[in-house]
Amino acid sequence: MAGPGPDALRRRGVTEPVAVRVFLVDDQQLVRAGFRMVVDSQPDMDVVGEADNGDEALHALSVTAADVVLMDVRMPVLDGVEATRRLRSRADPPKVVVLTTFDLDEYVYTAIKAGASGFLLKDAQPPTLLDAIRSVHSGDAVMAPSTTKRLLERFATQLPDRAASAPAGWDGLTEREREIMLEVARGHSNVEIAESLHVTEATVKTHIGRILAKTGLRDRVQLVVRAYETGLVRPGPNGQSGRE
């Protein structure tokens, strides 16, 4: 039997979920078509526009409301890093998820510094892409632990601002918060951290929230980047991170 229709739900005071508005930015039309097909297949998402370079995206997003932007990195006219920086400087900007290949990981780092909420490889499976859009829209950050670990260990010695001071509140972290901060910087997920420290996932989330509040950082992406660039965490032997 079919469920109640939209009118019946409204009469009962039940509101339908608002679809996540997704904007696609990539200079390859076939790539955009693939993303559009995946996103539009979901009842809670709508593709509201497309652009084939950063400049075109900025103009379009001046008149088109979007919640999440899937942003390619290397594009003609204006690349995804600069487009992300300019977009995130606007009032009430959309969240940005950077799309790249492993060979362009250095661009991912600069895009995150520019304000992106995370990144995905272009060959990510559709469920991963959809989960990332929903996570970013809900205020979380997108970080694939294994990819993050490779990224940071590969480029940590090249990071800019190595002499930058630690963010305000860093010294105010408790021992447990520092412990969890190190686990996050190693690219471990909340579930992995909970299992390692023998606490619940909810406890880990609570601690991460306190860490972000004390340091003034936006999300766990910024937390990882700042931990490496300030030298509080560095790549160690055999792919392990450690304190300076």
Side-chain angles (χ1 to χ4, degrees):
M1 178 182 294
D7 291 338
L9 289 174
R10 280 192 289 270
R11 286 195 297 271
R12 297 180 189 177
V14 178
T15 58
E16 296 179 81
V18 177
V20 180
R21 299 166 297 182
V22 181
F23 194 95
L24 310 176
V25 188
D26 196 293
D27 62 335
Q28 298 183 53
Q29 186 174 358
L30 285 176
V31 172
R32 297 200 310 271
F35 286 142
R36 174 181 281 274
M37 181 177 64
V38 171
V39 172
D40 277 344
S41 70
Q42 302 300 296
D44 62 335
M45 296 183 191
D46 286 323
V47 173
V48 295
E50 300 181 15
D52 61 13
N53 62 69
D55 187 63
E56 182 180 316
L58 291 174
H59 285 295
L61 289 166
S62 296
V63 295
T64 302
D67 300 307
V68 178
V69 176
L70 300 183
M71 181 82 74
D72 188 20
V73 174
R74 180 169 286 183
M75 296 179 291
V77 185
L78 186 68
D79 65 45
V81 174
E82 183 59 27
T84 296
R85 182 178 294 109
R86 296 184 190 181
L87 184 61
R88 291 296 300 169
S89 68
R90 294 177 176 178
D92 194 23
K95 303 293 181 61
V96 177
V97 176
V98 170
L99 303 169
T100 186
T101 62
F102 183 70
D103 289 339
L104 297 177
D105 275 346
E106 63 269 33
Y107 292 103
V108 175
Y109 171 78
T110 55
I112 290 172
K113 291 276 289 180
S117 294
F119 66 90
L120 287 176
L121 298 182
K122 282 191 175 181
D123 61 358
Q125 295 298 310
T128 301
L129 173 66
L130 297 171
D131 286 345
I133 293 172
R134 293 186 179 100
S135 295
V136 167
H137 181 248
S138 68
D140 204 349
V142 178
M143 292 186 68
S146 60
T147 305
T148 301
K149 186 175 180 179
R150 290 197 305 269
L151 165 69
L152 293 173
E153 289 181 355
R154 181 178 178 187
F155 293 103
T157 59
Q158 305 173 28
L159 297 181
D161 303 324
R162 290 284 294 178
S165 59
W170 201 270
D171 292 335
L173 299 180
T174 66
E175 187 61 31
R176 174 61 90 180
E177 288 167 350
R178 280 182 169 268
E179 190 175 18
I180 289 178
M181 177 272 294
L182 289 171
E183 292 298 313
V184 172
R186 292 184 178 110
H188 294 162
S189 67
N190 289 352
V191 173
E192 291 171 329
I193 296 172
E195 292 177 351
S196 174
L197 300 182
H198 306 290
V199 296
T200 66
E201 185 179 355
T203 297
V204 174
K205 290 181 180 179
T206 298
H207 280 301
I208 291 176
R210 290 173 179 167
I211 293 169
L212 296 177
K214 288 182 178 181
T215 59
L217 299 174
R218 184 183 66 243
D219 51 41
R220 65 191 297 143
V221 175
Q222 282 196 337
L223 174 62
V224 173
V225 170
R226 190 64 62 86
Y228 274 82
E229 74 177 9
T230 58
L232 292 174
V233 181
R234 60 181 172 79
N238 302 318
Q240 297 298 314
S241 303
R243 300 179 191 235
E244 280 289 325

